[in-house]
Amino acid sequence: MAFIGANAAIILKGYGNSFPHWFTIIFPGMIELAKKEGMEVTFLHEIEEINDIFDERSKSLQREQIIDKYEHPPLLSCLEALPSWYCCFDEESIVNSLNEDGPVLQSPSAAAHAFIVTGHERCLAYLQTLVQTCKSGAVPPMYPVDEDFIKICIVDQLQRLGLSGYFNREIQQLLEQVYRNYKNQQPAKLNIVPANLFRDSMAFWLLRMQGYHVSPWRFCWFLSDETALAHISNNFRKFSSVHYSIYRATDIMFRGEMELQDARLLSRALLEEYLTLGSTDDDILMWPNLRNMIEYELDTPWIARMDHLAHRKWIEESKAGPLYLGKASFYSADLMQLAEEHFKFVQSTCKSELEELTRWSEAWGLTDMGFARERTAYCYFACASSIPSPYNCDVRLIVAKSATLIMVADDFFDMEGVLDELKYLIAAVQGWDDRGLTGHSKIIFNALDNFVRDTAMKYLAQQGNDITYNLRQLWYEAFNSWLKEATWRKTGHIPSMASYLQVGMISIAVHVLVLQAACFVDPSFPASKLNSYEHEMITKYLMLSTCLLNDLQSYRVKLQDQLDFERQVGCLIS
């Protein structure tokens, strides 16, 4: 108690005047029990905050029922911490809480207190089973535990810390077990609506991200339950973690899943309102940095998130303290240390790769073209953030070098080269012969030739096949599309929409990046897929969508430039 009294400021600092529901029940009960046993409890400067916690407990005891499926945790699960003057619990309430999993909402401490008060046989049988099961002496805060929920939390933590690569087999096994239970629609072991929503929405997100077929109604059912919907909406301040989990679960939506769209709109609106209150209160999670993660989730779309930076964000936020779910905590110092060491290892690997990429770009003259965008570091940053595994060195460098070549060559066709010069370059790429090339054309071709040779040699060493011809044809297809666009632009020709899209989806060159990388990511990937006539529909959709997205962004930039120009003219006139 001396330790608690001396460190109360640290305990209370992160929560201001808003505390989780369970904390306002447990903490006062602990203090009262200590005083009853004759222990001296002294607080230095937190008397006002302590009084606020006691006041909040009084309000909860007056407002809530002893068993309430919409509160987490219900008062009955904190039976051991309820004050002596609170007489709303009786033997009938305790008997009603008994089920096949155990009494008093699976809380060993509450069950022990219930047995002391009532002497009920079911409570004694539950405690005896608990002692026999936990022979090591370590009694869990909840028993029986929801094994699926533990598995979900483990997988979620490993993935968000960036450690999933070390546990691929174990994660697959855990998710398969969770999916079987989902598929068989086994009844939930958590008897509390908010806790169920938190668990089921997290499970949905993990399973869908791994390609499992799961129905949104596993957690979206609350949208059609007026009582549940009204409760978690009206009390959004207490269930921000639930809405946070629901919002994450809606990151991937398929056509026709309107329930996910409705859940996303609702959860985002409630989270935004929660952020305006400046509150850290939450009845499901006790975690100082929950508010920071909500802001991050709303501000940074999942589709635009970079894995490596997201891992760093989660590591930094998790170091602030353990995450408590009711009476249980989820924190491992060893896991956090492994995550930090892994992040440093990835950083060191990326630093070495960037230095290699920079040397290559400088050695082949790509950084001193004069007209082209110097985006070597940008290209590497983009691919390294989305391919964070330290063991994918070849893939990152192939993508980064390809992106650097594409940006330089594209700028050359757009801005610098005259039409005849561009045609000479295309002829050189088609015949793979640099004779007759000079200046920028020769620099671009020689860098491309070096890249293709190096990539083909690596593939030959790994797979035993020579893909030099396939790579040359892939790049020729991209160069030829740039020539067509340059010809249209320089001659004033306006192509048909069909011709524009057919050429544009190739000139964006995203397939060049993806298909070359695929050869090294998946050993079974056939080299013939590099040929244009072998492109799968998913590749064509990727090329087309990227082309349209690029056009949309270009239009927005030009529109903003026009608006800025008009404002400047208006200012001069006025």
Side-chain angles (χ1 to χ4, degrees), residues 190-259:
L190 294 175
N191 299 313
I192 313 301
V193 168
N196 276 341
L197 287 175
F198 181 83
R199 183 198 66 169
D200 291 344
S201 56
M202 182 187 294
F204 175 86
W205 186 87
L206 290 172
L207 291 172
R208 175 157 284 195
M209 286 295 184
Q210 295 297 319
Y212 289 92
H213 178 71
V214 285
S215 170
W217 284 109
R218 284 307 305 242
F219 74 93
C220 288
W221 61 264
F222 74 95
L223 293 172
S224 57
D225 186 318
E226 295 183 1
T227 303
L229 178 60
H231 183 78
I232 66 173
S233 298
N234 295 335
N235 297 278
F236 67 90
R237 178 175 175 175
K238 299 195 300 180
F239 302 131
S240 56
S241 59
V242 176
H243 295 297
Y244 167 69
S245 184
I246 291 174
Y247 186 79
R248 284 186 68 214
T250 62
D251 281 336
I252 296 184
M253 290 182 282
F254 298 124
R255 180 175 297 181
E257 293 181 331
M258 298 307 298
E259 63 274 22

Side-chain angles (χ1 to χ4, degrees), residues 121-136:
E121 294 181 357
R122 288 286 296 275
C123 293
L124 177 60
Y126 169 80
L127 294 173
Q128 290 174 337
T129 301
L130 180 63
V131 172
Q132 294 173 0
T133 304
C134 305
K135 295 182 179 180
S136 64

Side-chain angles (χ1 to χ4, degrees), residues 79-94:
L79 192 62
E80 74 280 9
L82 296 178
S84 57
W85 52 264
Y86 183 71
C87 301
C88 292
F89 64 87
D90 51 29
E91 187 169 347
E92 182 181 358
S93 297
I94 296 174

Side-chain angles (χ1 to χ4, degrees), residues 423-438:
K423 291 179 180 179
Y424 282 125
L425 177 57
I426 290 297
V429 175
Q430 184 179 19
W432 216 261
D433 187 347
D434 67 342
R435 285 178 295 183
L437 294 181
T438 59

Side-chain angles (χ1 to χ4, degrees), residues 35 44 51 58-59 91 108 151 190 245 278 286 301 342 356 388 391 426 434 455 469 481 489 515 524 526 545 549 572:
K35 290 182 177 180
L44 300 178
N51 290 336
S58 298
K59 294 177 183 178
E91 187 169 347
K151 295 170 185 175
L190 294 175
S245 184
M286 185 176 181
H342 173 75
E356 178 182 344
Y391 307 107
I426 290 297
D434 67 342
T455 303
Y469 175 79
S481 68
R489 186 167 48 254
L515 295 178
S524 64
S545 60
L549 179 61
L572 292 174

Side-chain angles (χ1 to χ4, degrees), residues 25-52:
I25 304 298
I26 298 294
F27 188 70
M30 182 179 64
I31 295 175
E32 290 175 339
L33 180 60
K35 290 182 177 180
K36 181 179 178 180
E37 296 298 323
M39 298 181 184
E40 183 179 354
V41 183
T42 304
F43 296 100
L44 300 178
H45 307 291
E46 299 79 26
I47 301 300
E48 183 176 350
E49 289 83 354
I50 300 298
N51 290 336
D52 289 341

